[in-house]
Amino acid sequence: MSLRTLPILFINLGGEMLYILDQRLRAQNIAPEKGRKVMHDIISTMFKQRFVEELFKPQESYNKRAMRTVFDRLAHASIMRLNSTSMDKLYDLMTMSVKYEVCMCPRPADLLLVTLNHMDAIRDFVKGNVEVTALVEKVFALLESTYGTANTADFQNIRQSLLAFFQDMHIRVSIFLRDGLQGNNGRFVIATRGPVPHGSAPTNRIRFYRSDSCVATPYEGSAGRFEEALPPGSTAAHGDRGTRIGTNMYANSVAPASCTVTESDAVDELALTRRGSSSNADIANAELNVLASLLGGAEGGASKEVSHNLFRLNLDGASSPQKTRVCDRGNSSVLRFDATRTAIPSELAAAAAMFEEKPKEKASPAGNKGADLFELMMGED
């Protein structure tokens, strides 16, 4: 796993969160002043100088539960409040959008261009705010110094780390389904036509080699039709990225994107990540309590001073009622036990063995790596 994954993961997830919040603020006719305050507060919290300096140090990425908690707190770093259903939808859209972008990158090095597309949009969100713009520009400089000399192998390791983070997330998103970018099983549709990655040649050609020449003949087979590569994108602070991946797909949209949880996600995400399990209760509570205090709870400090300005944002649409998630198990296999039997059934014994608590290992120094980092996020510079 790459030790340089966390900045790219955090910035891209944060960028997608800002895209979605911006779209919902506009769709629900929130006062422009309040909307700008929400965006500026969140971005200034994301990019506090000392926090960003620690973020870019080589380290392992956070697990799914810790990353979800980070963005729960970050989304409430302003006068805006989200209920649990809206926060679930927000995080689902964020994660699936970034997973789509990672899957669609023609080559691993394009991950940096996607990240810079998010940074370009974030800079536009804070245009006119000199203080926050300065924080954003410092992140541009850190991205250049950290990844400017990275080679293909480095970016490939980052890509593999990102894919491992998003593994088993197959949440259906309406905007992807509508555009034919995602199948009903929640998996993305990979294009079989279009430009090849920069530095590659189209594959739909047969080359005939003679003693003194080579003749390439176009061939249209069932594998698809590809075109010549586009010019490489620029990684300069104000350059042309050369790709639309990572830009705001909600910019011209009024209707909110919605998401549907597939069966595998109902098990992996809802049962484990969001609600936690009794065997991991101590770990989950410790993480939540520490990060709640570090990232600033909804009830603390500055929040009380502006409580009369709080407003709630709804990700279900302005007129639609809140809907509760329903996880349809369908025809999934169910293990049944006869509780009237006095002897312990073999099936039950086997199932209980799966949940038997393992001896606790000595905690590693990396176990609390998030604590000091997020103290810096919410602390004073």
Side-chain angles (χ1 to χ4, degrees), residues 79-98:
I79 61 174
M80 178 190 67
R81 294 294 175 261
L82 299 171
N83 61 33
S84 59
T85 301
S86 291
M87 190 64 219
D88 286 346
K89 289 180 178 291
L90 173 63
Y91 192 73
D92 287 342
L93 290 171
M94 290 162 50
T95 53
M96 290 306 292
S97 296
V98 177

Side-chain angles (χ1 to χ4, degrees), residues 221-275:
S222 58
R225 182 174 182 177
F226 294 94
E227 305 165 0
E228 295 289 344
L230 298 174
S234 170
T235 58
H238 295 273
D240 180 8
R241 311 305 174 200
T243 178
R244 297 287 299 169
I245 302 174
T247 57
N248 190 353
M249 62 181 174
Y250 311 102
N252 299 318
S253 174
V254 176
S258 59
C259 53
T260 305
V261 181
T262 61
E263 183 177 334
S264 61
D265 286 298
V267 176
D268 296 332
E269 293 302 306
L270 294 178
L272 299 179
T273 303
R274 296 192 184 124
R275 295 190 175 89

